């Protein structure tokens, strides 16, 4: 899925008004699996000055970069972080609130991975790294029109629109609310531009 969708849907599923202090870990957990990719793109574009085709058809698939992307998309690593945070919180009460932050961050990472798993054809990640190199090749893509991308993108946009009201009520900061409206607007424009032209 697209990064803003992950943030909005994860907030809707994991966030509660009674624990709005967990909004930040949920937001960062939803962003984390895609952060390496943004770093990679910024480096390839601005530092190495590659063209789009080289970036996405060659360098993106190099084993080194694939491993970098897989670290942030690993369900076992997120579960491990969750387990350690839970254990520390049980054992040392003073670390309990910090542990909760890690648990929500990791839960959001896992939710991101579970949402991506069925929606990538040949650009998916090794979600079970380092335990397994298995890479699920889905018949359905979140973007590629040759693999039902137009339908999936419409479903994704609809879910985001449905989630936007509970998320709006959840957000405390004016900046985040503005970002929410901006992202939904951009996604709508991107959908129309990409699929309805
Ligand atoms: Zn992702």
């Amino acid at each position: 899925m697209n990064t803003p969708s992950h943030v909005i849907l994860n907030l809707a599923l994991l966030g509660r008004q009674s624990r709005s202090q967990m909004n930040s870990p949920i937001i960062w957990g939803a962003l984390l699996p895609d952060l390496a990719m943004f770093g990679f793109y910024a480096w390839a574009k601005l530092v190495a000055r590659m063209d789009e085709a080289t970036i996405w058809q060659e360098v993106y698939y190099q084993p080194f970069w694939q491993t970098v992307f897989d670290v942030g998309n690993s369900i076992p690593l997120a579960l491990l972080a969750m387990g350690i945070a839970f254990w520390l919180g049980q054992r040392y009460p003073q670390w309990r609130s910090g542990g909760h932050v890690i648990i929500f961050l990791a839960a959001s990472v896992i939710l991101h991975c579970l949402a991506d798993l069925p929606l990538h054809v040949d650009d998916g990640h090794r979600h079970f790294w380092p335990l397994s190199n298995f890479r699920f090749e889905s018949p359905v893509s979140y973007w590629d029109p040759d693999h039902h991308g137009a339908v999936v993108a419409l479903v994704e946009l609809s879910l985001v629109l449905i989630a936007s009201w509970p998320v709006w009520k959840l957000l405390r900061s004016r900046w985040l609310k503005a970002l929410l409206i901006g992202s939904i607007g951009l996604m709508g424009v991107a959908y129309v531009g990409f699929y309805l032209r």
Side-chain angles (χ1 to χ4, degrees):
M1 288 198 304
N2 294 297
T3 309
S5 312
H6 283 297
V7 176
I8 295 164
L9 295 180
N10 285 12
L11 273 172
L13 289 169
L14 297 173
R16 296 286 178 275
Q17 277 170 290
S18 56
R19 50 167 194 248
S20 58
Q21 75 278 15
M22 290 302 157
N23 285 354
S24 293
I26 295 169
I27 292 171
W28 282 107
L31 291 173
L32 198 139
D34 292 344
L35 277 185
M37 205 124 62
F38 291 127
F40 158 75
Y41 184 67
W43 165 82
K45 193 88 186 161
L46 303 173
V47 181
R49 300 204 171 262
M50 297 171 185
D51 56 85
E52 298 286 323
T54 314
I55 295 173
W56 297 117
Q57 283 154 35
E58 286 173 40
V59 187
Y60 176 84
Y61 291 102
Q62 284 171 2
F64 168 76
W65 284 109
Q66 283 295 310
T67 305
V68 170
F69 303 143
D70 292 337
V71 172
N73 283 277
S74 161
I75 295 173
L77 288 185
L79 282 173
L80 181 70
M82 219 179 207
I84 293 173
F86 182 76
W87 177 77
L88 282 174
Q90 291 289 312
R91 209 182 146 112
Y92 306 101
Q94 71 272 29
W95 287 4
R96 196 159 291 165
S97 62
H100 280 157
V101 170
I102 302 292
I103 288 170
F104 274 88
L105 185 100
S108 190
V109 168
I110 292 170
L111 213 53
H112 181 137
C113 295
L114 292 178
D116 274 350
L117 189 73
L119 300 178
H120 286 259
V121 177
D122 58 3
D123 50 2
H125 299 290
R126 287 176 288 178
H127 288 296
F128 305 98
W129 188 90
L131 299 180
S132 157
N133 284 327
F134 174 72
R135 200 188 292 264
F136 180 60
E137 253 188 59
S138 175
V140 179
S141 164
Y142 75 102
W143 67 271
D144 191 345
D146 293 338
H147 296 95
H148 316 287
V151 180
V152 177
L154 187 61
V155 172
E156 181 181 318
L157 191 60
S158 311
L159 288 175
V160 164
L161 283 173
I162 294 167
S164 62
W165 176 238
V167 171
W168 173 267
K169 287 192 290 181
L170 205 60
L171 294 177
R172 291 276 167 271
S173 117
R174 235 185 290 166
W175 291 106
L176 286 178
K177 286 187 172 185
L179 215 57
L180 174 70
I181 297 177
S183 322
I184 293 173
L186 262 177
M187 285 172 67
V189 170
Y191 180 82
V192 172
F194 197 74
Y195 297 106
L196 301 182
R197 257 184 320 177

